[in-house]
Amino acid sequence: MIAAITASKRGHKVTLFEKEQSLGGQLKYAILPPGKKPLESFLIYLRKQVEKAGIIVKVGKTIKKNDIKKANPDVLILATGPRIKEIKIPGIEQVKELLYMPEVLLEKVKAGKHTLIVGGNAIACEVGEFLSSKGKKVIIVGEEEDLAVEMDLLNRAMLMQKLNEYGVNIVRKSKIQSLKDKSAIIEDSNGNITQVEFDSIIFITGYASDNNLYMEIKEYVKDIYIIGDAFKPGGIRQAVHRGYQTGLNI
Ligand SMILES: Cc1cc2nc3c(=O)[nH]c(=O)nc-3n(C[C@H](O)[C@H](O)[C@H](O)COP(=O)(O)OP(=O)(O)OC[C@H]3O[C@@H](n4cnc5c(N)ncnc54)[C@H](O)[C@@H]3O)c2cc1C
């Protein structure tokens, strides 16, 4: 949205495509964990600026190679977000209560009383806080020595305190070795094995850049940019900065 707004303000005719039914990408979910509500004003601001700039918005449209070839734009900016890293764990196909993080935050699906969150990043911890604040018994299993290391120190300290207060069980330096319906075998860095039972499990094991569409289309569009998490998973600040720079450069 920032790239579109900036380019539009500079006189370009911009069309914004979004495969979901509303604009916002991950920001729509980022505002849902406890304490994240203030971020919503940024989402509202972006949507308002898109509207004010007179950008043509087409939601519910997944852009594919042929759409781009047909539209033949002078400039193409891909801000299509990251790819979820593939999870290869023996037995994962037997797990029925494997929940998708955005649906959990939107409360489209109900997490079970005992929820296992796999992943030690900031999003995993925030989802842990979200669920434990609603009375769920949460276990977070992360491979790292410390959790949420990408967060700034103050917010991280507050989040860790909340997890502690809610009694979230944090298992560090460990990974899921195998799964079987509602139980997980966890191995720590010393090779010790424990078994954990759960009602639901959520994998939040990180994102990778996603340049698939870029590679497919780059020979057909002269001026093409890939920005935000699609270029490199970072955060809102990085995505905004690169979006703004791109809008200025074209
Ligand atoms: C729960 C959660 C909490 C977070 N908290 C923070 C935080 O506190 N601070 C922070 O800095 N970052 C946070 N983030 C990360 C941050 O939201 C992302 O880094 C940022 O939104 C990346 O922006 P983006 O525009 O690159 O990609 P995205 O926000 O992923 O947007 C990409 C959009 O492209 C659409 N799309 C993809 N492919 C197509 C296609 N072919 N056609 C049409 N549309 C398509 C997608 O539907 C999506 O709407 C959080 C993320 C989550 C999930």
Side-chain angles (χ1 to χ4, degrees), residues 1-228:
M1 281 192 269
I2 288 282
I5 295 161
T6 312
S8 180
K9 280 187 178 165
R10 293 183 55 241
H12 296 284
K13 189 176 168 212
V14 181
T15 308
L16 191 52
F17 291 95
E18 167 54 55
K19 70 177 174 190
E20 292 186 3
Q21 293 305 324
S22 61
L23 296 179
Q26 294 171 70
L27 201 50
K28 288 184 301 201
Y29 317 124
I31 62 178
L32 298 172
K36 302 288 288 288
K37 185 86 176 155
L39 256 184
E40 191 177 19
S41 55
F42 184 52
L43 177 59
I44 294 169
Y45 165 82
L46 289 175
R47 287 175 174 163
K48 192 81 203 154
Q49 293 304 310
V50 165
E51 201 184 306
K52 273 173 77 175
I55 294 164
I56 301 162
V57 176
K58 302 207 169 165
V59 292
K61 172 72 188 160
T62 302
I63 287 294
K64 299 198 172 123
K65 178 181 169 182
N66 281 343
D67 300 307
I68 299 167
K69 278 171 77 177
K70 212 164 130 193
N72 191 25
D74 297 324
V75 180
L76 176 69
I77 301 174
L78 294 173
T80 44
R83 167 176 66 80
I84 299 173
K85 284 184 189 163
E86 203 187 335
I87 305 155
K88 288 185 191 152
I89 294 177
I92 195 164
E93 63 291 339
Q94 290 176 32
V95 178
K96 290 188 198 83
E97 285 304 309
L98 180 62
L99 306 184
Y100 180 49
M101 176 266 292
E103 291 189 339
V104 172
L105 289 174
L106 290 169
E107 301 191 86
K108 283 189 178 170
V109 294
K110 228 177 155 52
K113 181 77 186 154
H114 294 90
T115 296
L116 175 59
I117 297 178
V118 188
N121 54 47
I123 298 177
C125 294
E126 286 185 355
V127 175
E129 185 192 7
F130 175 86
L131 289 174
S132 56
S133 72
K134 291 176 184 294
K136 307 289 179 193
K137 300 267 174 231
V138 176
I139 303 179
I140 300 178
V141 177
E143 289 188 20
E144 304 79 4
E145 194 159 349
D146 267 319
L147 302 187
V149 286
E150 69 274 39
M151 280 180 99
D152 65 276
L153 283 181
L154 187 62
N155 282 317
R156 181 172 176 272
M158 289 195 303
L159 178 57
M160 291 305 138
Q161 193 183 332
K162 281 283 170 203
L163 294 180
N164 192 24
E165 276 170 28
Y166 288 129
V168 173
N169 180 0
I170 295 172
V171 183
R172 295 179 172 83
K173 293 189 356 186
S174 299
K175 57 183 176 194
I176 308 293
Q177 202 195 58
S178 64
L179 291 162
K180 197 174 172 194
D181 191 17
K182 292 193 168 187
S183 82
I185 302 294
I186 301 173
E187 184 182 4
D188 73 14
S189 54
N190 297 320
N192 300 315
I193 301 286
T194 43
Q195 183 165 342
V196 165
E197 307 299 319
F198 58 84
D199 299 313
S200 331
I201 184 166
I202 312 167
F203 280 85
I204 311 177
T205 40
Y207 295 108
S209 60
D210 185 1
N211 65 359
N212 284 348
L213 190 55
Y214 176 86
M215 297 310 279
E216 272 183 50
I217 201 70
K218 70 178 178 54
E219 63 184 287
Y220 302 100
V221 185
K222 247 194 269 144
D223 213 358
I224 178 166
Y225 301 86
I226 177 163
I227 64 173

